[in-house]
Amino acid sequence: MAGDITLSEKPGESLKKWRSNFEISQTDISNYLKVSPSVISDYESGRRKSPGTLIIKKIVESLLEIDAERGGKKIHAYGSLLNAESSTKSIYSTYEYTLPIQLAKLVNLIEGEIVYKGVEKPLYGFSVVDSQRAILELSSHEFQKLYGWSTDRAMIFTKVSTGKSPMVAIRVTNLKPGAVVLHGLRKEDVEPVAIKMAEVDRIPLVTTTMDLDQIVQLLKKYSQYYARE
């Protein structure tokens, strides 16, 4: 975590990503560090000079300590993610963004339909997952490894019939994606219970019928050419 923030071209964005992943507010961190919330806000927005390694270390420690005080769910989930066996057979493609893409932009690029808007977050990557293989072959701990380095990502599930199975798999894990895309379905094909589960976890739910290779190409192209606009 500290290395990701320190080595990032945009450390403020990376800091915000990890704080969001741990579901910890700027106020919580500032209270822990005994600084003004505006200090954390300024670091994340880039208004303040990038924090040095000592400050980053303290911020990372605050995230871990606060999560531990809350039961350590995020720490345990990330630990399982790092220790899980290889799940590459279930992953068609995965990609990390240096700068995030907004949900509306992603939906536009893949010609998607929003089934449930949920709570929109900046998306720092995407994973294209073989839904059938992931659900049949992966344990809950292995499933969490599909998130890559950030849970604030679009999880694009292929080979889905109603959308229910991927949402069930997400429902029973501690880590939640920034958005779920059901590939090969239209909005009206999604089973109501899948939508209900998205509502419970407040996860944006999207469908698309665009060619899968085209989706991957467009989303990678966005990172390479448009992320700095």
Side-chain angles (χ1 to χ4, degrees):
M1 193 192 314
D4 180 60
I5 297 171
T6 303
L7 298 175
S8 173
E9 294 181 6
K10 299 284 186 178
E13 287 279 357
S14 184
L15 173 59
K16 183 178 180 180
K17 173 187 72 177
W18 283 107
R19 181 179 61 76
S20 176
N21 286 351
F22 274 77
E23 298 180 357
I24 292 173
S25 70
Q26 292 177 345
T27 301
D28 288 334
I29 294 179
S30 64
N31 287 341
Y32 182 90
L33 297 176
K34 294 181 172 56
V35 298
S36 168
S38 64
V39 172
I40 306 301
S41 176
D42 287 348
Y43 279 137
E44 291 185 358
S45 66
R47 290 190 297 268
R48 184 183 288 259
K49 182 180 177 181
S50 297
T53 55
L54 181 60
I55 298 298
I56 290 174
K57 180 176 181 291
K58 290 182 177 180
I59 291 175
V60 169
E61 287 176 350
S62 72
L63 293 175
L64 297 176
E65 288 293 332
I66 293 169
D67 184 67
E69 290 172 0
R70 295 176 178 178
K73 287 186 177 181
K74 297 295 182 180
I75 295 173
H76 294 150
Y78 277 109
S80 298
L81 185 155
L82 293 172
N83 292 324
E85 296 177 3
S86 174
S87 56
T88 53
K89 291 183 179 180
S90 301
I91 301 176
Y92 177 83
S93 180
T94 187
Y95 199 81
E96 310 292 333
Y97 290 138
T98 301
L99 298 177
I101 183 174
Q102 300 301 318
L103 178 66
K105 181 66 176 179
L106 180 140
V107 172
N108 182 59
L109 284 173
I110 67 174
E111 298 177 0
E113 294 182 284
I114 296 179
V115 181
Y116 171 65
K117 190 173 183 179
V119 176
E120 296 186 30
K121 300 178 180 179
L123 303 173
Y124 287 88
F126 67 89
S127 295
V128 182
V129 180
D130 183 323
S131 176
Q132 294 178 3
R133 177 166 286 185
I135 292 166
L136 290 173
E137 298 179 2
L138 300 183
S139 68
S140 60
H141 293 308
E142 291 168 334
F143 187 86
Q144 291 178 152
K145 192 175 182 181
L146 301 176
Y147 288 105
W149 288 108
S150 173
T151 55
D152 285 342
R153 68 195 304 103
M155 295 288 283
I156 304 172
F157 289 97
T158 69
K159 300 180 182 179
V160 294
S161 56
T162 65
K164 178 181 175 181
S165 295
M167 297 310 299
V168 169
I170 289 170
R171 187 80 186 92
V172 299
T173 60
N174 288 326
L175 300 180
K176 310 296 180 183
V180 170
V181 178
L182 303 176
H183 179 259
L185 294 185
R186 298 188 181 278
K187 185 176 181 179
E188 58 269 22
D189 298 327
V190 181
E191 190 170 335
V193 69
I195 302 173
K196 183 62 179 178
M197 284 186 279
E199 292 173 350
V200 170
D201 286 323
R202 304 168 71 190
I203 301 171
L205 185 61
V206 178
T207 61
T208 181
T209 57
M210 179 181 282
D211 177 76
L212 192 57
D213 288 333
Q214 187 178 0
I215 289 175
V216 173
Q217 182 181 10
L218 286 171
L219 292 180
K220 287 184 177 180
K221 185 178 180 181
Y222 168 84
S223 173
Q224 295 166 3
Y225 297 104
Y226 305 122
R228 296 185 184 279
E229 288 188 353

